[in-house]
Amino acid sequence: MGSGPPPLTRDTVAGVIARFLEERGVDRVFGLCGGHIMPIWMRLDAEGIQIVDVRDERAAVYMAHAYGQLQDSFAVALVTAGPGVTNAMTGIANAHVAKVPLLVLSGVPPQPQENRGALQDVVHTDLVRSLTRYARTVRDPALVLQELDEAVARALGQGGDPGPVYLDFPTDTLRAIVPAATQREEHFRPKPRCRVLPDPLAIEQAVDLLWSAKRPLVISGRCARHAAPELIALLDALGAPYLDTGESKGLVPDSHPSAVAAMRGSVMGEADLVLTVGRRLDFQLGYGSPAVFGKARFVRLSDTVSELRDNRRGEVEILAPVDLALRAMVRAASGRATALDRDWAQGLRRKHEERADKLRLSMRSAPADAAGRMHPNTLLAHVQDAIGTDAIVVADGGDFLSFARVGMQCGTYLDPGSLGCIGVGTAFGIGAALACPTRTVAVLTGDGAFGFNAMEIDTAVRHQVPVLIVVANNGAWQIEVHDQTQSHGKVVGTRLQLADHAAMARAFGMHAERIERAEDLPAALARAKASLPALLDVIVSGEAMSSDAKTGLAWVPDLQPLAAWDDAERAWRNSAG
């Protein structure tokens, strides 16, 4: 028998990592165990940090993503070497695009075995560097604390965009002692976030533009998540129409007089000034193109440069925490009359209410198909009744996500984001439910998307996570089926089984039911809510087409994401030339 590993004390690198995380307020780490990270794993447990052990490393990163986002802090995923890191890379990429602060930790073979063909010997940092704000292998025990300190600062966006960071450690380094002299309190200690006050001149210039505009429009994104009161105060003062995006859905209630989500296309084309609040002008906003926004000028506000001048420059660009900047705008405009065209704004609101009321009515009365399968909107209407309008909704999939994004009202909304990273649903739901245990969390997912991380129902059961999972089961990758049928005249490789996901969930000890009739949904939802975690596998029609399917998103036009925008872009470019 071998001598075995040495004892893992609090002064080993693994022990210092665990102590650092505890000092920084980390109460949970999401991960999947392996030999190269075992020292960290065991010291986390020794320090009282809960380990949420998962079934796939992608899910560990997804859960940390949702958990940290809802707690407004960085979160931690711990994955083992080699395939553990490569499995995690999709989650890291999603957090990179979403600018969510994550610390991803891993291990590498002991230094005497480096580059000799050791088990799981891969240079991880080369793989993840383009997806992270910081990526290092830490070999010297004396450097562990300053590397952790630097990584967390980078993750939180101190000096750049927030996002995922990555550190790994040779296993022999993890077992080594950190010199007492280098265990400096300055590196353990949590640091206050740097909040730079907005430039008063830029605030005055922005207010002049906004309050003199006849048709101003406010669009919010990622940075507005924790500035809802300030955003609402600005809307109250200015009276401008308001659009959320997937990054900020739920911040401003639909009852607010500025909310005009149902008039998205019209208001984007009619506005003469657009204020973006922590939002990139990416594909979801037509890249800010004049083909979509007409002659509108822009005011850009964000706490990160990458959301300040992408695609369209602002007449004014304010780099500052958005809550401070919005508060300063309201103060600067105090007592000032706005030039807002109130007939225009009120007309948009009336039409929004008419469309929203019509949508709610049509969702409840949506007809079943010829085979008797319910419309996806029928399912969503019943879910809305069951969970109310203040729940956390996680939407996942292609066609079904589009139905849910348009049809559901909620207090907080999560989805795959602009990376289009379907499959996050169940893992996001678990992370969200752990972050907000007193709130209802509902995962609304298509059957294709559910399959990516379906095994995480086992994680939900083992950790008793109170999450409701609703699978809209139509036996297909439906948005691609629609695209293939319309564009190519045949369906190739996009059909699935009408699998019994409820039976799978029951096999792991989860309360689960399969529902085929709409009239059975209210009682089934009530039973599920009383038995969380729970899953409902609901058979829905594949014939219904979502707004995304109708607008051409699936076939990927050349210049813009939607067919109508693509046509408009071509016309604008030709006229501009």
Side-chain angles (χ1 to χ4, degrees):
M1 294 181 61
S3 59
L8 292 170
T9 69
R10 300 188 84 215
D11 291 320
T12 59
V13 169
V16 167
I17 292 170
R19 287 162 51 204
F20 172 88
L21 295 179
E22 184 190 25
E23 288 285 336
R24 294 301 177 97
V26 174
D27 59 351
R28 284 187 175 91
V29 168
F30 301 86
L32 204 163
C33 198
H36 292 99
I37 58 170
M38 189 66 75
I40 305 176
W41 195 273
M42 300 311 295
R43 286 310 310 176
L44 291 174
D45 178 72
E47 293 296 332
I49 296 174
Q50 182 183 354
I51 297 173
V52 181
D53 54 309
V54 303
R55 300 298 300 265
D56 185 281
E57 288 86 358
R58 285 175 305 172
V61 182
Y62 293 154
M63 289 178 198
H65 177 141
Y67 189 79
Q69 181 174 319
L70 292 179
Q71 292 210 326
D72 191 25
S73 182
F74 80 96
V76 183
L78 176 60
V79 301
T80 199
V85 173
T86 57
N87 285 348
M89 283 178 64
T90 300
I92 296 172
N94 197 39
H96 163 71
V97 172
K99 298 184 175 64
V100 173
L102 294 179
L103 172 61
V104 181
L105 300 174
S106 187
V108 293
Q111 294 174 83
Q113 300 183 45
E114 274 192 44
N115 201 31
R116 298 182 65 197
L119 175 67
Q120 299 179 332
D121 189 5
V122 176
V123 182
H124 305 135
T125 51
D126 287 352
L127 299 176
V128 303
R129 186 163 285 116
S130 67
L131 303 174
T132 56
R133 307 293 183 261
Y134 193 70
R136 291 292 301 274
T137 296
V138 184
R139 295 178 173 85
D140 185 345
L143 298 178
V144 59
L145 270 173
Q146 67 184 65
E147 289 286 9
L148 286 165
D149 189 28
E150 180 66 19
V152 170
R154 299 282 190 100
L156 292 170
Q158 295 172 7
D161 283 7
V165 295
Y166 175 87
L167 294 177
D168 62 22
F169 308 82
T171 310
D172 60 323
T173 297
L174 291 174
R175 294 190 282 251
I177 298 297
V178 178
T182 67
Q183 295 187 40
R184 300 183 62 83
E185 190 271 340
E186 67 193 62
H187 289 134
F188 279 109
R189 185 176 66 245
K191 309 299 188 298
R193 296 195 192 184
C194 180
R195 289 168 61 79
V196 179
L197 293 175
D199 179 357
L201 177 59
I203 292 294
E204 290 288 348
Q205 291 172 335
V207 167
D208 284 343
L209 287 168
L210 288 164
W211 262 254
S212 62
K214 291 185 176 181
R215 296 187 171 189
L217 168 65
V218 178
I219 304 177
S220 66
R222 178 192 65 85
C223 291
R225 286 182 190 133
H226 303 286
E230 292 81 7
L231 177 59
I232 291 172
L234 177 83
L235 295 173
D236 290 342
L238 180 60
Y242 164 75
L243 296 177
D244 61 16
T245 57
E247 297 176 358
S248 58
K249 182 177 171 69
L251 285 186
V252 176
D254 189 64
S255 59
H256 193 280
S258 288
V260 294
M263 299 300 295
R264 189 172 298 268
S266 297
V267 71
M268 286 166 62
E270 295 172 4
D272 61 6
L273 185 73
V274 178
L275 169 64
T276 60
V277 183
R279 188 58 168 84
R280 291 189 66 196
L281 289 168
D282 63 7
F283 77 95
Q284 297 174 72
L285 294 174
Y287 309 114
S289 171
V292 176
F293 285 92
K295 296 181 179 180
R297 297 181 295 169
F298 285 79
V299 173
R300 309 296 302 274
L301 164 62
S302 181
D303 63 6
T304 62
V305 171
S306 63
E307 293 164 341
L308 208 61
R309 55 176 181 254
D310 62 300
N311 290 317
R312 292 292 300 274
R313 298 302 299 259
E315 300 289 319
V316 180
E317 296 168 348
I318 304 172
L319 180 63
V322 297
D323 58 338
L324 299 183
L326 292 171
R327 201 177 302 149
M329 286 183 191
V330 173
R331 281 198 306 267
S334 178
R336 179 169 177 170
T338 174
L340 173 71
D341 182 342
R342 296 192 182 277
D343 289 340
W344 172 72
Q346 291 168 4
L348 286 167
R349 176 63 186 176
R350 282 195 303 272
K351 291 176 184 177
H352 163 81
E353 290 175 332
E354 290 169 4
R355 288 188 177 182
D357 290 343
K358 183 178 179 181
L359 174 62
R360 283 190 285 270
L361 181 62
S362 68
M363 286 175 67
R364 295 189 177 284
S365 59
D369 65 16
R373 295 170 298 187
M374 76 180 79
H375 194 288
N377 275 338
T378 303
L379 168 58
L380 292 173
H382 283 289
V383 172
Q384 187 80 79
D385 288 343
I387 67 173
T389 58
D390 193 44
I392 299 172
V393 168
V394 181
D396 194 11
D399 235 24
F400 190 57
L401 181 150
S402 179
F403 283 115
R405 186 188 68 241
V406 172
M408 293 297 295
Q409 295 184 54
C410 57
T412 304
Y413 176 83
L414 302 173
D415 71 12
S418 57
L419 187 63
C421 190
I422 67 171
V424 301
T426 299
F428 268 20
I430 292 171
L434 289 171
C436 304
T438 62
R439 295 183 64 187
T440 298
V441 177
V443 176
L444 310 179
T445 177
D447 56 327
F450 174 67
F452 279 97
N453 284 284
M455 284 294 289
E456 299 308 326
I457 59 177
D458 173 57
T459 304
V461 171
R462 286 185 293 105
H463 291 276
Q464 299 180 333
V465 182
V467 61
L468 170 64
I469 302 167
V470 179
V471 181
N473 189 349
N474 55 22
W477 301 98
Q478 195 60 52
I479 199 167
E480 281 77 21
V481 169
H482 290 315
D483 175 40
Q484 289 178 341
T485 302
Q486 292 183 334
S487 302
H488 306 284
K490 63 186 298 189
V491 176
V492 180
T494 52
R495 296 285 189 193
L496 300 169
Q497 300 182 61
L498 282 171
D500 192 340
H501 303 296
M504 176 186 177
R506 287 194 296 271
F508 286 96
M510 180 177 282
H511 173 87
E513 301 181 39
R514 188 179 180 99
I515 309 297
E516 299 188 16
R517 302 187 309 166
E519 56 264 36
D520 295 332
L521 274 170
L525 283 161
R527 289 190 294 270
K529 286 183 64 183
S531 308
L532 299 175
L535 180 145
L536 296 182
D537 181 26
V538 185
I539 303 300
V540 299
S541 173
E543 296 178 9
M545 290 186 69
S546 69
S547 58
D548 283 350
K550 292 176 182 176
T551 53
L553 185 70
W555 66 265
V556 193
D558 289 347
L559 302 179
Q560 285 279 358
L562 306 180
W565 287 357
D566 192 68
D567 292 341
E569 183 79 18
R570 291 178 190 280
W572 172 72
R573 292 189 181 192
N574 289 335
S575 67

Coordinates of all heavy atoms in Angstrom, one line a residue, residues 82 85-86 89 92 108 114-115 121-132 134-137 139 166-168:
G82 N -9.3 18.0 -17.2 CA -9.6 17.4 -18.4 C -11.1 17.5 -18.9 O -11.5 18.6 -19.1
V85 N -13.3 20.2 -17.2 CA -13.2 21.6 -17.7 C -13.8 21.7 -19.1 O -14.5 22.7 -19.4 CB -11.7 22.0 -17.8 CG1 -11.5 23.4 -18.4 CG2 -11.1 22.1 -16.3
T86 N -13.6 20.7 -20.0 CA -14.1 20.9 -21.3 C -15.7 20.8 -21.3 O -16.4 21.5 -22.0 CB -13.6 19.8 -22.3 OG1 -13.8 18.5 -21.8 CG2 -12.1 20.0 -22.5
M89 N -17.1 24.2 -20.3 CA -16.8 25.4 -21.2 C -18.0 26.0 -21.8 O -18.1 27.2 -22.0 CB -15.8 25.0 -22.3 CG -14.4 24.8 -21.8 SD -13.2 24.3 -23.0 CE -13.3 25.7 -24.2
I92 N -19.2 28.3 -19.2 CA -18.3 29.4 -19.1 C -18.6 30.4 -20.2 O -18.6 31.6 -20.0 CB -16.9 29.0 -19.1 CG1 -16.6 28.1 -17.8 CG2 -15.9 30.1 -19.2 CD1 -15.2 27.4 -17.8
V108 N -5.0 20.4 -12.0 CA -4.2 19.8 -13.0 C -3.3 18.7 -12.4 O -3.2 18.7 -11.1 CB -3.4 20.8 -13.8 CG1 -4.3 21.7 -14.6 CG2 -2.5 21.6 -12.9
E114 N 3.6 16.7 -15.0 CA 3.2 17.6 -16.1 C 3.8 17.2 -17.4 O 5.0 16.9 -17.5 CB 3.5 19.1 -15.8 CG 2.5 19.8 -14.9 CD 2.7 21.3 -14.9 OE1 3.0 21.9 -15.9 OE2 2.6 21.8 -13.8
N115 N 3.0 17.3 -18.5 CA 3.5 17.1 -19.9 C 4.2 15.7 -20.1 O 5.1 15.5 -20.9 CB 4.5 18.2 -20.3 CG 4.6 18.3 -21.8 OD1 3.7 18.1 -22.5 ND2 5.8 18.7 -22.2
D121 N -4.4 15.3 -18.4 CA -3.4 16.3 -18.5 C -3.7 17.1 -19.8 O -3.4 16.8 -20.9 CB -2.0 15.7 -18.6 CG -0.9 16.8 -18.5 OD1 -1.3 17.9 -18.3 OD2 0.3 16.4 -18.6
V122 N -4.4 18.3 -19.6 CA -4.7 19.2 -20.6 C -4.4 20.6 -20.2 O -4.6 20.9 -19.0 CB -6.2 19.1 -21.0 CG1 -6.6 20.2 -22.1 CG2 -6.6 17.7 -21.5
V123 N -3.9 21.5 -21.0 CA -3.6 22.8 -20.7 C -4.9 23.6 -20.7 O -5.3 24.2 -21.8 CB -2.6 23.5 -21.6 CG1 -2.3 24.9 -21.1 CG2 -1.3 22.7 -21.6
H124 N -5.6 23.6 -19.6 CA -7.0 24.2 -19.6 C -7.0 25.7 -19.9 O -7.9 26.2 -20.5 CB -7.6 24.0 -18.2 CG -7.6 22.6 -17.7 ND1 -7.3 22.3 -16.4 CD2 -8.0 21.5 -18.3 CE1 -7.4 21.0 -16.2 NE2 -7.8 20.5 -17.4
T125 N -6.0 26.4 -19.4 CA -5.9 27.9 -19.6 C -5.9 28.3 -21.1 O -6.5 29.3 -21.4 CB -4.7 28.5 -18.9 OG1 -3.5 27.8 -19.3 CG2 -4.9 28.4 -17.4
D126 N -5.3 27.5 -21.9 CA -5.3 27.8 -23.4 C -6.7 27.6 -23.9 O -7.1 28.3 -24.8 CB -4.4 26.8 -24.1 CG -2.9 27.1 -23.9 OD1 -2.6 28.2 -23.3 OD2 -2.1 26.3 -24.3
L127 N -7.5 26.7 -23.3 CA -8.9 26.5 -23.8 C -9.8 27.6 -23.4 O -10.7 27.9 -24.1 CB -9.4 25.1 -23.3 CG -8.6 23.9 -23.8 CD1 -9.2 22.6 -23.1 CD2 -8.6 23.7 -25.3
V128 N -9.7 28.0 -22.2 CA -10.7 28.9 -21.6 C -10.4 30.4 -21.7 O -11.2 31.3 -21.4 CB -11.0 28.6 -20.1 CG1 -11.5 27.1 -20.0 CG2 -9.9 28.8 -19.2
R129 N -9.2 30.7 -22.1 CA -8.7 32.1 -22.0 C -9.6 33.1 -22.8 O -9.9 34.2 -22.3 CB -7.3 32.2 -22.5 CG -6.7 33.6 -22.3 CD -5.2 33.6 -22.4 NE -4.5 33.1 -21.2 CZ -3.8 31.9 -21.1 NH1 -3.6 31.2 -22.2 NH2 -3.3 31.5 -20.0
S130 N -10.1 32.7 -24.0 CA -10.9 33.6 -24.7 C -12.3 33.7 -24.2 O -13.1 34.6 -24.6 CB -11.0 33.1 -26.2 OG -11.7 31.9 -26.3
L131 N -12.7 32.9 -23.2 CA -14.0 32.9 -22.6 C -14.0 33.5 -21.2 O -15.1 33.5 -20.5 CB -14.6 31.5 -22.6 CG -14.7 30.7 -23.9 CD1 -15.1 29.3 -23.6 CD2 -15.6 31.4 -24.8
T132 N -12.9 33.9 -20.7 CA -12.8 34.4 -19.3 C -12.1 35.8 -19.3 O -11.5 36.2 -20.2 CB -12.0 33.4 -18.5 OG1 -10.7 33.2 -19.1 CG2 -12.7 32.0 -18.4
Y134 N -9.9 36.2 -16.9 CA -8.6 35.9 -16.3 C -8.5 34.4 -16.2 O -9.5 33.7 -15.9 CB -8.6 36.5 -14.8 CG -7.3 36.6 -14.2 CD1 -6.3 37.5 -14.6 CD2 -7.0 35.8 -13.0 CE1 -5.1 37.6 -13.9 CE2 -5.8 35.9 -12.4 CZ -4.8 36.8 -12.8 OH -3.6 36.9 -12.2
A135 N -7.4 33.9 -16.6 CA -7.2 32.4 -16.6 C -5.7 32.1 -16.3 O -4.8 32.5 -17.0 CB -7.5 31.8 -18.0
R136 N -5.5 31.5 -15.1 CA -4.1 31.2 -14.7 C -4.0 29.8 -14.1 O -5.0 29.3 -13.4 CB -3.7 32.2 -13.6 CG -3.5 33.6 -14.1 CD -2.3 33.8 -15.0 NE -1.1 33.4 -14.4 CZ -0.4 34.2 -13.6 NH1 -0.7 35.4 -13.4 NH2 0.8 33.7 -13.1
T137 N -2.9 29.2 -14.2 CA -2.5 28.0 -13.4 C -1.6 28.5 -12.3 O -0.6 29.2 -12.5 CB -1.8 27.0 -14.3 OG1 -2.7 26.5 -15.3 CG2 -1.3 25.8 -13.4
R139 N 0.9 27.6 -9.5 CA 1.8 26.5 -9.0 C 2.5 26.8 -7.7 O 2.9 25.9 -7.0 CB 2.9 26.3 -10.1 CG 2.3 25.7 -11.4 CD 3.4 25.5 -12.5 NE 2.8 24.9 -13.7 CZ 2.2 25.5 -14.7 NH1 2.0 26.8 -14.6 NH2 1.7 24.8 -15.7
Y166 N -11.1 32.0 -14.3 CA -10.7 30.6 -14.2 C -9.3 30.5 -13.5 O -8.3 31.2 -13.9 CB -10.6 29.9 -15.5 CG -10.1 28.5 -15.5 CD1 -11.0 27.5 -15.2 CD2 -8.8 28.3 -15.7 CE1 -10.5 26.2 -15.2 CE2 -8.3 27.0 -15.6 CZ -9.2 25.9 -15.4 OH -8.7 24.6 -15.3
L167 N -9.2 29.6 -12.5 CA -7.9 29.3 -11.9 C -7.9 27.8 -11.7 O -8.9 27.1 -11.3 CB -7.8 29.9 -10.5 CG -7.7 31.4 -10.4 CD1 -7.6 31.8 -8.9 CD2 -6.5 32.0 -11.1
D168 N -6.7 27.2 -12.0 CA -6.5 25.8 -11.6 C -5.2 25.6 -10.9 O -4.3 26.6 -10.9 CB -6.6 24.9 -12.8 CG -5.6 25.1 -13.9 OD1 -4.6 25.7 -13.7 OD2 -5.9 24.7 -15.1

